[in-house]
């Protein structure tokens, strides 16, 4: 599968952008979570081929994208970054997928730009999850307890095993390779702005916390919410409220997956996403008008 990496100057920062697939294919923009990176979607990009152009960026303060010297790590900044990226790439209409924080950003962008997003996929994010879930408490604790540096790769690996016990060791190592960088004096530190992002997450400006519930009814495109069956973040009642607020939203639940659905069950997640993105518009419209309840996604067999 063809891969292309570039650096783009957007809104005063340099952003690392990765693309996979056919440059002339239908564009699908993907947004990672709070400590994520573009590379996390490599497997999904492969599964969506052929005919799809996947565009993913290291969002501000992560990966090979610049850290924000003002520590502006709020939803409005991320959404403005996405808008600038879409304009710079000439994406007049595209599909949009976001995980966790990226899902929050995707919901707000879709609500504010109804003519740009054709189909929306939200992975384990929604109103209430950021504020009140056990997963939100876990994330806050992780930010408080995360070391700034590690003396060895094995120390970092052991920390990641405790942080992500449900994923494979290969997935944890891939994540570490994308999240860590060596220090000149030895050891490793994060490739994301841990201090700045932690400050925003642990002590946010109340005036800049987004009211996600107000944006959900404004989404004007067919939307798939994917919840991990054992997620501690997005809860079933939260998904139900999203569907009650907007008839264009359908939902699936991936069994034996936590908050990181695309890591825990990559094949099932890819099947759900690909099936949704490839479904004929008439079928999506019929499902939306009929009303969709949450279903448990099962792997298809040949």
């Amino acid at each position: 599968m063809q891969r292309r990496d570039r650096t783009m100057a957007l809104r005063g920062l340099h952003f690392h952008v990765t693309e996979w697939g056919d440059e002339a294919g239908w564009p699908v923009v993907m947004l990672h979570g709070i400590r994520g990176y573009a590379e996390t979607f490599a497997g999904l990009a492969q599964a969506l081929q052929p005919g799809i152009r996947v565009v993913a960026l290291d969002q501000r303060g992560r990966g090979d994208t610049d850290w924000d010297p003002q520590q502006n790590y709020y939803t409005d900044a991320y959404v403005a970054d996405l808008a600038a990226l879409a304009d710079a790439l000439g994406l007049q209409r595209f599909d949009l997928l976001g995980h966790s924080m990226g899902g929050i950003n995707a919901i707000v962008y879709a609500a504010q730009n109804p003519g740009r997003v054709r189909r929306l996929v939200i992975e384990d994010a929604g109103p209430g999850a950021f504020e009140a879930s056990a997963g939100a408490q876990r994330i806050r604790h992780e930010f408080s307890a995360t070391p700034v540096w590690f003396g060895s790769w094995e120390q970092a690996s052991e920390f990641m095993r405790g942080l992500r016990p449900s994923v494979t060791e290969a997935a944890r190592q891939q994540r570490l390779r994308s999240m860590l960088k060596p220090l000149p004096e030895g050891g490793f530190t994060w490739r994301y702005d841990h201090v700045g992002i932690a400050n925003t997450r642990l002590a946010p400006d109340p005036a800049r916390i987004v009211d996600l519930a107000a944006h959900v009814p404004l989404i004007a495109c067919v939307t798939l919410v994917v919840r991990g069956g054992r997620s501690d973040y997005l809860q079933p009642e939260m998904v139900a409220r999203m569907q009650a607020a907007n008839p264009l939203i359908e939902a699936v639940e991936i069994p034996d997956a936590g908050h990181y659905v695309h890591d825990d069950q990559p094949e099932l997640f890819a099947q759900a996403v690909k099936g949704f993105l490839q479904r004929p518009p008439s079928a999506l419209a019929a499902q939306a008008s009929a009303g969709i309840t949450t279903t448990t996604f099962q792997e298809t067999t040949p």
Side-chain angles (χ1 to χ4, degrees):
M1 176 179 62
Q2 187 180 9
R3 170 178 173 156
R4 300 171 296 278
D5 289 274
R6 70 174 84 179
T7 299
M8 301 181 67
L10 304 169
R11 304 184 64 244
L13 298 176
H14 292 91
F15 285 79
H16 172 238
V17 180
T18 301
E19 296 192 22
W20 294 273
D22 184 357
E23 246 182 313
W26 179 260
V28 182
V29 178
M30 299 187 179
L31 305 175
H32 60 72
I34 195 166
R35 285 164 295 187
Y37 45 89
E39 180 67 22
T40 193
F41 295 119
L44 178 60
Q46 176 72 55
L48 293 179
Q49 301 307 315
I52 295 294
R53 175 190 179 189
V54 172
V55 179
L57 76 159
D58 293 338
Q59 296 185 82
R60 59 173 53 216
R62 283 87 170 173
D64 291 326
T65 290
D66 288 346
W67 294 10
D68 186 345
Q70 305 301 316
Q71 297 187 355
N72 185 6
Y73 299 118
Y74 288 93
T75 301
D76 59 318
Y78 298 124
V79 171
D81 294 341
L82 172 58
L85 174 70
D87 288 345
L89 294 178
L91 303 179
Q92 295 304 311
R93 194 160 171 79
F94 55 94
D95 294 342
L96 180 60
L97 179 149
H99 169 240
S100 192
M101 180 200 77
I104 294 172
N105 302 339
I107 288 171
V108 175
Y109 179 87
Q112 294 178 350
N113 299 271
R116 300 291 287 270
V117 182
R118 184 191 69 155
R119 297 180 185 181
L120 177 65
V121 179
I122 304 301
E123 179 189 354
D124 219 63
F130 177 87
E131 300 86 358
S133 69
Q137 295 177 10
R138 170 182 53 79
I139 292 168
R140 287 192 290 269
H141 172 73
E142 289 174 358
F143 267 116
S144 299
T146 295
V148 175
W149 70 281
F150 299 95
S152 68
W153 191 266
E154 180 53 34
Q155 286 181 5
S157 298
E158 188 61 28
F159 175 79
M160 187 59 71
R161 290 182 192 111
L163 210 61
R164 300 287 175 264
S166 62
V167 304
T168 66
E169 183 64 16
R172 285 191 287 264
Q173 291 300 317
Q174 190 273 339
R175 180 172 288 271
L176 284 174
R177 286 192 295 271
S178 295
M179 294 178 72
L180 291 179
K181 61 182 178 181
L183 290 166
E185 63 272 22
F188 301 87
T189 191
W190 300 107
R191 288 177 61 217
Y192 68 89
D193 185 359
H194 176 75
V195 173
I197 294 168
N199 287 342
T200 304
R201 187 67 177 86
L202 297 174
D205 178 353
R208 298 190 67 186
I209 297 176
V210 66
D211 179 9
L212 204 58
H215 288 83
V216 169
L218 302 179
I219 297 172
C221 63
V222 288
T223 299
L224 177 68
V225 174
V226 183
R227 178 182 180 271
R230 51 180 175 78
S231 172
D232 61 356
Y233 190 73
L234 184 66
Q235 298 305 299
E237 61 271 18
M238 298 172 182
V239 178
R241 287 197 294 269
M242 294 174 72
Q243 293 182 281
N246 191 324
L248 293 173
I249 295 176
E250 65 175 276
V252 296
E253 190 169 283
I254 305 295
D256 197 27
H259 179 50
Y260 291 80
V261 187
H262 68 278
D263 277 343
D264 291 351
Q265 292 288 351
E267 292 183 6
L268 291 181
F269 182 73
Q271 286 181 25
V273 172
K274 188 172 185 177
F276 173 73
L277 296 182
Q278 292 184 343
R279 221 175 306 163
S282 57
L284 289 166
Q287 288 184 341
S289 63
I292 301 298
T293 58
T294 302
T295 57
T296 299
F297 189 82
Q298 301 293 338
E299 186 170 9
T300 58
T301 55

